[in-house]
Amino acid sequence: MERPYRRRIQLVRRLLVKSGAEALVVTHPPNIFYLSGFSGSAGALLIEPHGVTLFIDGRYTTQAREETADARLRITRGSLLTAVGERLRKSERARVAMEPAHMSVAQHRELKRVADAKIRWVALWGPVEELRAVKGADEIAQMRQAARLGCQVFEKVLPLVKPGVREVELAAEIEYRMRQGGASGAAFPTIVASGARAALPHAQPTKKRLRKNELVVLDLGAILAHYCCDLTRTVYLGRAPSGIRRWYQAVQEAQAAARDALCAGVAAGEVDAAARRVLKRFRLDRHFLHSTGHGLGLEVHEEPRLAKGQKKIIQAGNVVTLEPGVYIEGVGGIRSEDDVAVFSDRTETLTSAPRDLLEL
Ligand code: ZN
Ligand code: ZN
């Protein structure tokens, strides 16, 4: 992959100029990775008009040297933010931006204590996330690989989805196979929810055993070369009764409507509305308990959010999930989730696992 960091830093600097700030302190690890290539779990990145400095502690010296080329390294003994504050004091910055969504009150106090008291702090909401939402071709290629791995894992565990197996056992099997396939880990705790538990959109797997004539929701995500996939399929153990088939069809049609609505230039809320309209036609809209989808990339939940009323405009380079679902308390739930990349003139569904109702 060509090193994209210089261009990304330039874009951040442009945002800084607009906000009137001279420098930006970045502490959120995915943002640090995006802007410098450093993938350690602790660090601070200071972006100034003529330089980028990565503050790390001694544990990361070798890794930072290997991963970053465009940032100056500052290896600190004590607190990273104290070192950042000292640097800001010496460079006599007047207006410095930080990301309030990622900085605790304690961290900000520490920065203020060390840096010059005259510094004006500018709160920038998600400047790096805005850039991250628009993926380059290399990033989408990477996400295609992650999606392929997710689908392979799903197909490999399918033969194990049968009465008698415990939800936790299946979840463990899924995560094990992701790692075997090269993933650095799961993008989120794998969901295996069977029977009435499938009615909980974020169910944690339990020791419950799968039984015949139950719905099973499997929601899994792998992180491959830093990028996430997010895939959900719902299967039925046995022959599905007509009521369940109807719900399943409603979810499929809702997802297809969202996919048809998704394109560069449309408002995110319109995509959500498209799915909701279909579920309403099936009188299932009040059983749809979450938004239609979310951006996906270095993190599993990113911009843009495909939620009710969202005015943000979908752009070429966005990668989003489409995941309508219906959840009927006491009975079960159905969700179908795919990852879709948006281009200027088309979309591409990255996940290829079968979408027809699987009766196992
Ligand atoms: Zn998911
Ligand atoms: Zn999702």
Side-chain angles (χ1 to χ4, degrees):
M1 201 189 268
E2 179 219 336
R3 295 183 74 85
Y5 309 110
R6 215 166 276 183
R7 195 184 66 83
R8 293 174 183 170
I9 295 284
Q10 274 172 5
L11 293 172
V12 170
R13 286 201 179 109
R14 241 179 258 168
L15 292 175
L16 284 179
V17 169
K18 257 195 217 164
S19 71
E22 300 154 73
L24 171 68
V25 181
V26 182
T27 51
H28 187 46
N31 288 351
I32 292 176
F33 173 75
Y34 184 77
L35 296 173
S36 73
F38 174 64
S39 66
S41 55
L45 195 70
L46 178 64
I47 298 169
E48 294 174 289
H50 299 291
V52 178
T53 314
L54 175 64
F55 296 79
I56 49 161
D57 66 62
R59 292 173 298 168
Y60 292 111
T61 309
T62 309
Q63 184 183 347
R65 281 196 184 125
E66 281 171 5
E67 291 179 337
T68 61
D70 307 322
R72 208 175 322 139
L73 284 187
R74 181 71 64 85
I75 296 141
T76 67
R77 288 241 172 99
S79 145
L80 296 174
L81 287 174
T82 299
V84 174
E86 280 165 0
R87 160 86 200 176
L88 289 171
R89 195 180 59 219
K90 278 187 203 137
S91 56
E92 299 183 353
R93 299 278 166 224
R95 284 172 70 92
V96 179
M98 50 91 182
E99 303 175 287
H102 304 301
M103 186 169 286
S104 70
V105 173
Q107 286 174 318
H108 193 212
R109 271 195 197 141
E110 185 184 343
L111 262 180
K112 284 203 286 196
R113 181 176 57 79
V114 183
D116 197 314
K118 280 183 283 193
I119 286 182
R120 287 271 307 276
W121 289 93
V122 181
L124 276 190
W125 291 93
V128 188
E129 281 82 349
E130 285 298 313
L131 300 178
R132 278 173 43 198
V134 179
K135 274 84 181 165
D138 287 350
E139 292 182 284
I140 292 178
Q142 201 52 255
M143 295 188 71
R144 224 175 253 130
Q145 301 287 330
R148 184 175 306 154
L149 172 60
C151 293
Q152 282 167 353
V153 168
F154 172 75
E155 294 193 32
K156 275 192 200 151
V157 298
L158 261 186
L160 308 173
V161 183
K162 52 189 177 193
V165 68
R166 294 181 195 275
E167 292 174 349
V168 277
E169 289 168 348
L170 267 184
E173 197 66 45
I174 287 169
E175 293 184 11
Y176 173 67
R177 285 173 196 247
M178 284 180 196
R179 295 297 294 252
Q180 271 198 323
S184 60
F188 53 87
T190 303
I191 295 173
V192 178
S194 61
R197 295 189 46 74
L200 310 169
H202 270 184
Q204 294 292 321
T206 65
K207 284 183 167 173
K208 177 189 170 298
R209 291 182 193 278
L210 273 48
R211 281 194 302 256
K212 215 171 153 44
N213 301 321
E214 276 184 347
L215 284 163
V216 186
V217 175
L218 302 141
D219 189 350
L220 58 100
I223 306 173
L224 187 67
H226 307 287
Y227 285 87
C228 301
C229 67
D230 189 1
L231 172 78
T232 308
R233 290 290 183 265
T234 304
V235 302
Y236 193 82
L237 295 183
R239 229 181 118 58
S242 61
I244 300 266
R245 281 167 187 280
R246 194 175 155 276
W247 293 347
Y248 195 90
Q249 191 194 340
V251 170
Q252 294 306 304
E253 286 186 23
Q255 199 198 28
R259 196 181 292 117
D260 288 346
L262 180 67
C263 64
V266 74
E270 278 303 308
V271 183
D272 179 78
R276 243 166 252 286
R277 266 195 300 275
V278 172
L279 292 175
K280 189 166 181 151
R281 184 152 53 73
F282 280 85
R283 296 182 197 280
L284 287 168
D285 47 320
R286 70 188 175 91
H287 297 290
F288 180 23
L289 304 177
H290 48 78
S291 54
T292 295
H294 51 84
L296 185 70
L298 293 173
E299 289 179 277
V300 74
H301 292 114
E302 294 193 355
E303 293 296 327
R305 320 258 156 180
L306 306 181
K308 219 174 192 169
Q310 273 282 332
K311 295 197 168 58
K312 189 167 276 182
I313 301 298
I314 299 295
Q315 299 178 64
N318 287 160
V319 178
V320 295
T321 68
L322 298 177
E323 51 176 306
V326 296
Y327 307 93
I328 318 271
E329 213 183 319
V331 180
I334 294 169
R335 179 166 67 255
S336 206
E337 176 178 34
D338 285 285
D339 305 342
V340 184
V342 180
F343 297 94
S344 57
D345 55 347
R346 67 190 170 94
T347 60
E348 175 190 339
T349 302
L350 307 180
T351 37
S352 60
R355 264 169 227 113
D356 293 335
L357 177 60
L358 294 173
E359 298 172 299
L360 305 174

